[in-house]
Amino acid sequence: MRISEAAARSGLNVDTIRYYEAEGLVPNVVRGSDGQRRFSPENVDWLTLLYWLRETGMPMKVMQRFAALYAQGDATIQDRKSILLDHSQLLAKRRDDLDRCDEILARKLEIYEEYLR
Amino acid sequence: MRISEAAARSGLNVDTIRYYEAEGLVPNVVRGSDGQRRFSPENVDWLTLLYWLRETGMPMKVMQRFAALYAQGDATIQDRKSILLDHSQLLAKRRDDLDRCDEILARKLEIYEEYLR
DNA sequence: TCTTGACCTAGAGTTACTCAAGGCCGGTAT
DNA sequence: ATACCGGCCTTGAGTAACTCTAGGTCAAGA
């Protein structure tokens, strides 16, 4: 499939996909005879994973390492696993942040309510 | 108190506080006779709130509107309330994203485990 | 044949910081 | 008295991660 469909399916936007590819985050993207990118289902799965990692705060540098490992094949699975495990730690931290912020908002809103009465 | 203490208490860093003030996000910061900023406890509470709003994804533009309302006093509480309510929606969305990403990671890690056996 | 739409690249612009350079000022050490 | 130091100041440059713009190619439909 072409880039717009890959974008629609992965959640990334077209420009971001091109940018990611230029940064070495998307291995194995082939080109048709027209010079346009063709994305395989595996490419799209990969982009989708990148989308979620990025959306939840994984820095580009880490994604680059992750992508480099992915490009090297199955021998790197242990390393990739530990990157993802680290990322779940980050998710937990983010969840705590959300909880903390929720509390603060609740308190603030309570004060507003009091004022409004 | 001075800027470094305000930073330590709010969670923001010193440069960010100065930047926020320049952007109109921090009303009522007074200066001592030495030209240095002096932060009241109310200033610090405000900075702390900004810290959490930003940390959980409120854009600068919205924070600017919020700060402008805050600067205008109690008559704007209704508007501020609706900004914070909107923000709790965003928090909920972020939590969904985290859950979604967690699932994806769990699936991925499962596949890795299978491979590693 | 002409136009339209999706794609391409290179490069500029944006957001939200973050850092660096150079300067002032009050307090301590010599 | 003066030399140094840390913490503050401003201005401006640098960074991350996009996002948009300009200008160009090409295949397919009216």
Side-chain angles (χ1 to χ4, degrees):
Chain A
M1 76 195 70
R2 265 163 285 199
I3 198 165
S4 60
E5 194 179 343
R9 287 186 197 240
S10 65
L12 291 170
N13 95 18
V14 166
D15 287 322
T16 306
I17 293 177
R18 284 198 276 252
Y19 169 65
Y20 279 6
E21 199 202 350
E23 295 295 306
L25 266 72
V26 199
N28 313 321
V29 180
V30 301
R31 301 280 180 133
S33 56
D34 53 3
Q36 297 185 2
R37 294 171 184 80
R38 291 300 141 81
F39 296 86
S40 66
E42 197 198 331
N43 288 151
V44 173
D45 283 351
W46 177 250
L47 289 173
T48 306
L49 180 56
L50 291 186
Y51 170 77
W52 285 105
L53 293 176
R54 193 66 206 84
E55 193 73 4
T56 54
M58 180 179 285
M60 291 281 287
K61 298 237 158 134
V62 179
M63 298 205 311
Q64 264 158 0
R65 244 174 6 94
F66 188 58
L69 292 168
Y70 172 58
Q72 285 167 53
D74 289 348
T76 65
I77 282 190
Q78 190 62 59
D79 290 343
R80 281 188 265 159
K81 183 183 152 188
S82 84
I83 288 175
L84 295 191
L85 286 173
D86 285 356
H87 192 64
S88 357
Q89 301 282 39
L90 184 63
L91 296 190
K93 194 256 182 201
R94 297 252 155 166
R95 216 180 305 263
D96 286 351
D97 285 352
L98 293 181
D99 291 346
R100 191 98 175 60
C101 189
D102 250 350
E103 272 175 45
I104 287 164
L105 291 190
R107 227 177 306 140
K108 207 77 195 159
L109 287 168
E110 182 52 38
I111 291 166
Y112 288 170
E113 288 307 336
E114 235 161 77
Y115 174 85
L116 290 171
R117 282 193 302 265
Chain B
M1 77 195 68
R2 263 163 288 201
I3 198 167
S4 60
E5 196 180 342
R9 287 185 197 240
S10 64
L12 292 170
N13 96 20
V14 166
D15 286 323
T16 307
I17 293 176
R18 285 198 276 252
Y19 169 65
Y20 279 6
E21 198 201 351
E23 295 295 306
L25 267 73
V26 199
N28 313 321
V29 179
V30 301
R31 301 280 180 135
S33 56
D34 53 3
Q36 298 186 2
R37 293 170 184 82
R38 292 300 141 81
F39 295 86
S40 67
E42 197 198 331
N43 288 151
V44 173
D45 284 351
W46 177 250
L47 288 172
T48 306
L49 179 56
L50 292 185
Y51 170 78
W52 285 106
L53 293 177
R54 192 67 206 85
E55 192 74 5
T56 54
M58 179 180 284
M60 291 282 287
K61 297 236 158 135
V62 179
M63 298 206 309
Q64 264 158 359
R65 246 178 358 98
F66 188 57
L69 292 168
Y70 172 57
Q72 285 167 51
D74 289 349
T76 66
I77 282 189
Q78 191 61 59
D79 291 342
R80 282 187 265 158
K81 182 183 153 188
S82 86
I83 289 176
L84 295 190
L85 286 173
D86 285 356
H87 192 64
S88 355
Q89 301 282 38
L90 184 63
L91 296 189
K93 195 258 184 201
R94 298 252 155 166
R95 217 180 306 262
D96 286 352
D97 284 352
L98 293 180
D99 290 347
R100 192 98 175 62
C101 189
D102 249 351
E103 271 175 44
I104 287 164
L105 291 190
R107 228 177 305 139
K108 207 77 193 159
L109 287 167
E110 182 54 38
I111 290 165
Y112 288 170
E113 288 307 336
E114 235 161 75
Y115 175 86
L116 290 170
R117 280 193 302 266

